[in-house]
Amino acid sequence: MFYHAYRAYMENAYPADELMPLSCKGRVRGQEPSRGDIDDSLGNFSLTLVDTLDTLAVLGDFEEFEHGVKLVIRDVTFDTDLVVSVFETNIRMLGGLLSAHILAEYFQQRAGIMSWYRGELLSMAKDLGFRLLPAFNTTTGIPHGRVNLRHGMRSLENLRETCTACAGTMVLEMAALSRLSGEPVFEEKAHRAMDVLWQMRHRSSDLMGTVLNIHSGDWVRRDSGVGAGIDSYYEYCLKAYILLGEEKYLGRFNRHYDAVMKYISQGPLLLDVLMHRPHTNSRNFMDALLAFWPGLQVLKGDIRPAVETHEMLYQVIQRHNLLPEAFTTDFQVHWGQHPLRPEFLESTYFLYRATQDPYYLQVGKHALQALQKYARVPCGYAAVKDVRTAAHEDRMDSFVLAETFKYLFLLFAEPADLVLDLDEFIFTTEAHLLPLSLSTSGNASAAQLNPSALKVAPPIEPTAQNGHDLDEPRTCPSTLHLFPESVRRPLKNMVNGMCPRRSHRRKLHAVQFQVGNPEHMKAVRDMGIAIITLPDGRLQLLHTFANARSASDAEEGLQFMQEMVELSKAQAQAPDSTPLTVSYRVAASAHTPAHKVVLTAGPAHFGRELKGNERVVASVALAEPLRVCAALEQPQKLKGRIAVIERGDCMFIDKARRVEAAGAVGAIVLDNTGGSSSSTSSMFAMSGDGTNDVHIPVVFLFQQDALQLLQAVSLDPELEVTLQDSKNSASSDPLLAEAAEAMDARLLDSILDRLKGSVNDFLSKQHDQAKVNSIEEGDDEDGHIRTKRGRSRNLDPDGPSEEPKSTKEPKEEL
């Protein structure tokens, strides 16, 4: 599995930061559409390779490890004008360089390879460390969340907020860099940030918030949990003691841990509370990042709650196939993404190491098979966009190779399979390996590793240091007499009991949906979906759990919404969405010379395609009734002509079928949204109903463009119009705009008076945009679904999105 993903990256993406597994190419920052904050992990510095080097070492692939080190030394540079995440760059890039440097020296001594290596990776790590240092120049010493690799904090001074994990997950890498390079400044800056964070805890509860102001030290978000925005701060409190031997971190971790177990841990659940009101829950869902917590509890030595929380998470995985990015307290999906995160596998590995219970091998097998089934694609492994639909996302984060497959391999590996003695190392939050010997010297070399130097200081009597009571022992309890099965048994049906599987027939799929169909409208209302029409004619769908008729209807509503997003994106990317044109000649008049008018028209996802030199030329005829949602009056008038019809009341494709049956050779649909224009509105692509039995071309004109056509028809009832691909149309006549502006108002009134009654209806009709029963076209969604999720996909301090306005009614909007 690792090599399938690694080779896909190296052969199709390197030296880019990440592989795009669906596109099978590299993600280069600045060349691909921005994904918001999630792209702050990228610095055009071959992130995935650097992050993955020590996985190659763990696998024992000396040849590829050496080759990768040479590539990094040759190709990677940090002198780029890019703003990157200080946190992500530290744990992935700096941690990756340091771990690879340590292992290169380790293998020089133990395996007799890489004799050419002279610490080049350490020099690169030092260069990167100095580029991160400007972020620490704040009033409090808490680092900025972002820094420019070339210019430091230039133009970033106004950034004032960061997350607790972002500021508190620096000390392992920075201390290792100082102790390996002899430059104390890195460790000093990281220790100061940790000291300030400790001072900022709530003194009554000993809990931490998730987002803070780096200059004032004030809390911006007081939510406290063990997941997104705070997770690795707690991890580094304990691991800083283990790696560096500094007593204060043990005391701090013990205080924090007691607070978490008192206020946040509720049986196997870990629910966020308010740090200043710790008996008040701040949200009704849990996020996937908290899955690391059982593994940390194993390091702490508190096995029983680790077993309980891990079992709860495993049941959620069994329920939804993969661990959703967030799930509610009744184990429904809150955020459906699964970016192939490693945290659950990390905890599984540590629990197996601690208990030797083969149950955890079965858990790992289940997780492995789920990855193979739902994430493996021909070019690597793709993140899952939503566990409910198993749709893929064109994303493979570097941690998939750096952590996910590393922990899977270690879970199943026998001692003889390992070329490293893992008892000599500690894993960082990115699963990079740092040697425990760093605690014995301020300037340790990886070559100094030896078993006698790798033991943490023996237990001593609890003392008070920095005002923190070391009131707990510093040795893990024996797990030989702990039988996890007895702990898991009471939890056996916890998730299924609250979140049973439902096998029900779907009432409606998105591809079938028609707004003009009363049964469809009732079905979506039952699902808790409200539909309103926006001023520009597009539709907005709002899904609210509380408005659904039942829980099963609410769940189907989520599936419907996801299908609608997929349908919209697929059709927007379809090759037949190229703009078309409607062109005609206008005879000379007293006000304007003869000229050609070319109007931009939207395409349809059905009917005849007009490509290259293909065109349809014919006179136009107004359909009666203009909306063509009932039987045509005088259908013979449309024979051999291009039918002009109005949007509204029924589906586009139904209109097209009726005029084609009457003998029309094409159709022009006129918009009914007041003031719309091709120059100010986004292109409209008309959708069908899944059955393409139309053989004539159908195009769409916005209202201002439609008005020009109708004026020309009123002057010349036999007006000949050409429908064709926009690439083969002449540009619009520049005199047109001037002529329209110069047209006398009375002349315009005279022209409009001559239009047929149906055209007058078209021009005067006003629609109540706020009422659902006035919504036009079930197919308006196509290409015009306005996505209003209000969140980015990356995991911000409070998770991958904003919280819903009401924690009792999670909402999904499009």
Side-chain angles (χ1 to χ4, degrees):
M1 294 171 71
F2 169 83
Y3 281 109
H4 175 68
Y6 176 74
R7 288 171 183 144
Y9 166 75
M10 294 300 294
E11 294 170 6
N12 302 288
Y14 182 82
D17 282 326
E18 290 179 352
L19 170 70
M20 299 172 65
L22 302 183
S23 304
C24 205
K25 64 178 183 179
R27 184 181 296 281
V28 178
R29 190 167 173 184
Q31 294 184 12
E32 300 296 330
S34 173
R35 299 175 297 171
D37 292 346
I38 195 172
D39 282 341
D40 288 344
S41 302
L42 312 181
N44 292 343
F45 39 33
S46 302
L47 171 64
T48 294
L49 179 58
V50 174
D51 212 6
T52 303
L53 287 175
D54 60 6
T55 305
L56 292 165
V58 168
L59 294 174
D61 192 341
F62 296 146
E63 181 179 356
E64 190 61 28
F65 174 73
E66 183 172 4
H67 175 61
V69 170
K70 288 180 178 178
L71 287 177
V72 170
I73 294 171
R74 184 192 73 186
D75 298 338
V76 174
T77 178
F78 303 117
D79 187 24
T80 53
D81 186 11
L82 285 174
V83 175
V84 299
S85 163
V86 174
F87 164 73
E88 297 287 0
T89 304
N90 174 69
I91 66 171
R92 300 198 203 191
M93 288 297 298
L94 186 59
L97 290 170
L98 291 172
S99 181
H101 161 71
I102 290 162
L103 293 174
E105 289 195 344
Y106 183 97
F107 292 142
Q108 275 185 334
Q109 179 187 21
R110 307 270 183 112
I113 64 170
M114 299 183 68
S115 58
W116 57 269
Y117 181 73
R118 294 293 182 272
E120 291 88 347
L121 295 180
L122 179 59
S123 298
M124 295 177 68
K126 186 176 174 181
D127 174 32
L128 181 58
F130 278 117
R131 294 177 187 273
L132 297 180
L133 279 185
F136 288 85
N137 295 331
T138 63
T139 307
T140 60
I142 295 172
H144 284 272
R146 298 174 180 83
V147 69
N148 187 296
L149 289 173
R150 179 177 293 168
H151 303 298
M153 296 308 300
R154 186 190 303 175
S155 76
L156 298 175
E157 294 84 357
N158 292 330
L159 298 178
R160 297 182 178 276
E161 297 178 3
T162 193
C163 69
T164 304
C166 301
T169 313
M170 306 289 293
V171 68
L172 294 190
E173 292 82 2
M174 287 292 190
L177 178 58
S178 286
R179 299 190 182 198
L180 292 169
S181 69
E183 294 280 357
V185 62
F186 305 111
E187 184 170 357
E188 291 170 357
K189 295 286 188 181
H191 282 311
R192 182 186 176 193
M194 292 293 280
D195 291 344
V196 174
L197 285 173
W198 170 251
Q199 294 299 320
M200 289 175 60
R201 77 193 186 283
H202 193 270
R203 299 306 176 90
S204 175
S205 68
D206 279 333
L207 293 174
M208 305 288 284
T210 52
V211 181
L212 59 143
N213 186 302
I214 57 177
H215 296 300
S216 67
D218 294 332
W219 288 106
V220 178
R221 292 197 63 117
R222 295 172 179 263
D223 305 71
S224 187
V226 296
I230 196 171
D231 49 356
S232 47
Y233 164 73
Y234 292 139
E235 179 183 0
Y236 271 38
C237 280
L238 178 58
K239 290 184 176 179
Y241 166 70
I242 296 172
L243 181 68
L244 308 177
E246 299 210 15
E247 300 284 346
K248 64 181 181 181
Y249 288 115
L250 178 61
R252 293 175 185 179
F253 175 78
N254 286 337
R255 294 273 291 274
H256 284 317
Y257 185 81
D258 287 346
V260 168
M261 299 308 292
K262 180 178 181 180
Y263 300 116
I264 295 171
S265 177
Q266 299 181 26
L269 307 184
L270 295 164
L271 300 178
D272 281 20
V273 299
L274 298 174
M275 59 179 286
H276 57 297
R277 295 202 302 271
H279 295 289
T280 302
N281 290 116
S282 62
R283 60 185 191 181
N284 69 336
F285 61 91
M286 295 168 276
D287 64 73
L289 285 176
L290 63 77
F292 90 101
W293 186 254
L296 189 65
Q297 289 180 305
V298 171
L299 290 182
K300 156 75 175 171
D302 200 0
I303 305 296
R304 178 177 291 274
V307 170
E308 292 177 342
T309 297
H310 180 275
E311 179 61 19
M312 177 271 294
L313 293 168
Y314 181 45
Q315 290 188 27
V316 173
I317 290 174
Q318 292 174 296
R319 173 64 179 83
H320 299 294
N321 300 316
L322 298 163
L323 186 64
E325 195 74 329
F327 52 94
T328 59
T329 52
D330 58 352
F331 307 113
Q332 303 285 350
V333 174
H334 184 71
W335 298 321
Q337 306 98 316
H338 177 74
L340 316 184
R341 291 196 184 278
E343 286 78 13
F344 177 76
L345 291 169
E346 175 186 1
S347 290
T348 304
Y349 164 68
F350 280 113
L351 274 166
Y352 180 65
R353 285 290 306 272
T355 66
Q356 293 299 302
D357 185 343
Y359 174 81
Y360 295 110
L361 296 179
Q362 294 302 317
V363 172
K365 178 182 178 181
H366 183 278
L368 182 151
Q369 291 173 334
L371 287 173
Q372 290 291 81
K373 181 176 181 179
Y374 298 106
R376 186 179 177 117
V377 294
C379 192
Y381 286 79
V384 175
K385 186 179 299 183
D386 195 307
V387 299
R388 291 162 293 196
T389 64
H392 285 135
E393 188 174 356
D394 202 4
R395 169 183 177 186
M396 189 181 84
D397 291 86
S398 67
F399 56 67
V400 177
L401 291 171
E403 299 184 78
T404 303
F405 291 132
K406 182 183 293 175
Y407 282 123
L408 261 179
F409 173 77
L410 291 175
L411 174 64
F412 295 111
E414 299 291 342
D417 298 327
L418 302 177
V419 297
L420 295 169
D421 182 359
L422 295 180
D423 289 337
E424 298 180 7
F425 299 90
I426 192 169
F427 287 113
T428 69
T429 194
E430 190 73 8
H432 293 310
L433 283 73
L434 296 179
L436 296 176
S437 60
L438 288 175
S439 65
T440 64
S441 170
N443 187 13
S445 167
Q448 295 174 338
L449 288 172
N450 62 81
S452 63
L454 297 172
K455 305 303 181 185
V456 179
I460 60 176
E461 291 300 316
T463 60
Q465 185 166 337
N466 277 2
H468 319 313
D469 295 331
L470 301 180
D471 52 3
E472 294 195 20
R474 287 164 294 162
T475 56
C476 296
S478 170
T479 60
L480 296 179
H481 301 291
L482 176 69
F483 299 94
E485 169 61 25
S486 63
V487 179
R488 291 191 299 265
R489 193 177 299 119
L491 304 172
K492 185 175 181 181
N493 295 312
M494 178 181 185
V495 171
N496 275 339
M498 297 181 67
C499 180
R501 292 186 179 275
R502 301 182 182 92
S503 57
H504 62 276
R505 185 176 179 181
R506 291 284 302 278
K507 296 183 179 67
L508 183 66
H509 292 271
V511 70
Q512 304 167 329
F513 178 59
Q514 302 176 29
V515 173
N517 187 317
E519 293 182 1
H520 291 183
M521 291 301 296
K522 180 181 183 302
V524 296
R525 284 195 296 271
D526 289 345
M527 297 179 204
I529 299 173
I531 304 177
I532 61 172
T533 305
L534 301 173
D536 59 4
R538 292 181 290 179
L539 298 183
Q540 178 173 311
L541 283 72
L542 173 66
H543 181 260
T544 308
F545 262 91
N547 292 343
R549 191 180 66 173
S550 66
S552 61
D553 284 319
E555 186 172 346
E556 181 172 351
L558 285 175
Q559 293 178 288
F560 181 89
M561 297 285 276
Q562 182 63 40
E563 288 176 352
M564 194 65 80
V565 171
E566 296 301 320
L567 180 65
S568 173
K569 290 182 178 179
Q571 293 178 333
Q573 297 169 359
D576 59 352
S577 60
T578 304
L580 303 173
T581 60
V582 175
S583 59
Y584 53 88
R585 300 290 303 180
V586 176
S589 69
H591 298 278
T592 61
H595 59 278
K596 181 180 181 181
V597 176
V598 180
L599 304 174
T600 301
H605 293 296
F606 56 86
R608 177 183 168 188
E609 297 182 43
L610 296 177
K611 294 184 177 181
N613 294 322
E614 291 186 66
R615 64 183 65 190
V616 171
V617 182
S619 297
V620 297
L622 298 173
E624 297 181 17
L626 198 57
R627 289 199 172 180
V628 198
C629 291
L632 287 166
E633 301 173 10
Q634 299 180 309
Q636 68 277 5
K637 294 175 57 177
L638 300 182
K639 188 172 183 179
R641 296 191 175 226
I642 297 174
V644 176
I645 57 184
E646 186 190 17
R647 173 186 180 187
D649 294 344
C650 59
M651 295 190 71
F652 293 121
I653 194 168
D654 290 335
K655 301 173 188 287
R657 287 173 179 140
R658 288 190 177 94
V659 297
E660 182 181 18
V665 296
I668 301 173
V669 179
L670 310 181
D671 193 10
N672 57 8
T673 303
S676 66
S677 168
S678 60
S679 61
T680 58
S681 304
S682 57
M683 180 52 58
F684 193 105
M686 298 176 289
S687 69
D689 59 4
T691 301
N692 186 6
D693 53 3
V694 175
H695 305 95
I696 61 173
V698 184
V699 302
F700 179 87
L701 285 181
F702 287 104
Q703 192 181 76
Q704 293 300 313
D705 304 297
L707 176 61
Q708 294 182 47
L709 176 63
L710 291 175
Q711 290 168 348
V713 172
S714 69
L715 295 172
D716 181 6
E718 297 297 319
L719 182 71
E720 189 175 76
V721 169
T722 301
L723 308 182
Q724 63 181 336
D725 190 316
S726 61
K727 296 179 181 178
N728 294 287
S729 299
S731 59
S732 298
D733 195 308
L735 295 175
L736 178 63
E738 297 180 14
E741 292 178 4
M743 187 174 293
D744 184 85
R746 287 176 296 177
L747 176 61
L748 178 59
D749 290 341
S750 174
I751 291 174
L752 295 179
D753 287 342
R754 296 168 56 189
L755 292 177
K756 298 174 66 172
S758 57
V759 178
N760 283 323
D761 290 341
F762 167 77
L763 293 173
S764 63
K765 193 168 297 179
Q766 299 295 326
H767 299 284
D768 184 353
Q769 302 295 336
K771 296 180 180 178
V772 174
N773 59 12
S774 68
I775 294 175
E776 313 297 342
E777 308 287 58
D779 39 11
D780 288 359
E781 300 91 31
D782 183 17
H784 285 263
I785 292 180
R786 171 172 291 180
T787 301
K788 300 190 65 166
R789 291 179 177 270
R791 62 177 183 252
S792 59
R793 295 261 177 196
N794 64 302
L795 200 56
D796 285 330
D798 189 47
S801 76
E802 298 177 2
E803 292 182 38
K805 294 180 180 179
S806 168
T807 57
K808 295 182 179 180
E809 295 186 11
K811 295 180 179 180
E812 187 81 8
E813 296 187 7
L814 290 94

